Amino acid sequence: MLAVRAALRYTLVAFVIAAVPALAAWGTVAFAQDAYAAFYRSFAETSCCWTNKCCYEISENDVEDLGEPITVTNTWGRSVTGHGYRIKASGQVVVRTAFSPDGKYHRCSCDPSGTGWKVWPGANTRCLFTPFYAT
């Protein structure tokens, strides 16, 4: 009986040792997901696909400023005119969606895949946010 209690105590201690880091990691991931959603929700429409984690920061070197006026057909088939940029990774020409609130470039781009959404450099750009100082 003493051996059973010792084994039970050992199993409980081992479970706690394994569970605490797992719960901490889960909480960190949950917080990061909430911070991501809150940030993009503050300035991007859901049609930019931030709900599927398709938005991310890019470098100003990732785009070529084409100036304005540029007219393109956007992802939703509408003709839009505005300040144009070429996405160097995909070659796609897009019109700036709006200015970013943090002074950085943000690209929302993804393609549908069999299991959800695929975020990759050549993906279709849904939205582009640029710093206010960007021409």
Side-chain angles (χ1 to χ4, degrees):
M1 184 74 165
L2 200 53
V4 171
R5 285 186 187 163
L8 215 54
R9 186 176 310 132
Y10 174 77
T11 302
L12 180 60
V13 168
F15 175 77
V16 168
I17 289 171
V20 168
L23 286 172
W26 177 79
T28 301
V29 169
F31 176 76
Q33 289 174 348
D34 288 346
Y36 172 91
F39 175 69
Y40 283 106
R41 185 183 301 123
S42 73
F43 65 94
E45 295 181 12
T46 55
S47 60
C48 293
C49 213
W50 61 262
T51 53
N52 292 310
K53 299 216 181 282
C54 295
C55 297
Y56 50 94
E57 182 182 327
I58 61 172
S59 164
E60 67 180 297
N61 297 324
D62 294 331
V63 296
E64 177 187 352
D65 189 336
L66 301 175
E68 55 181 285
I70 299 287
T71 301
V72 299
T73 301
N74 67 13
T75 300
W76 303 277
R78 290 183 229 120
S79 180
V80 292
T81 301
H83 197 104
Y85 293 85
R86 180 180 318 282
I87 306 297
K88 291 180 181 178
S90 66
Q92 185 181 10
V93 174
V94 298
V95 168
R96 172 179 45 227
T97 305
F99 293 111
S100 68
D102 65 352
K104 298 177 182 177
Y105 288 81
H106 294 272
R107 178 182 177 206
C108 301
S109 63
C110 54
D111 290 330
S113 71
T115 58
W117 296 93
K118 180 180 178 184
V119 178
W120 63 289
N124 177 53
T125 302
R126 294 169 174 268
C127 299
L128 179 67
F129 300 92
T130 67
F132 185 71
Y133 61 82
T135 55

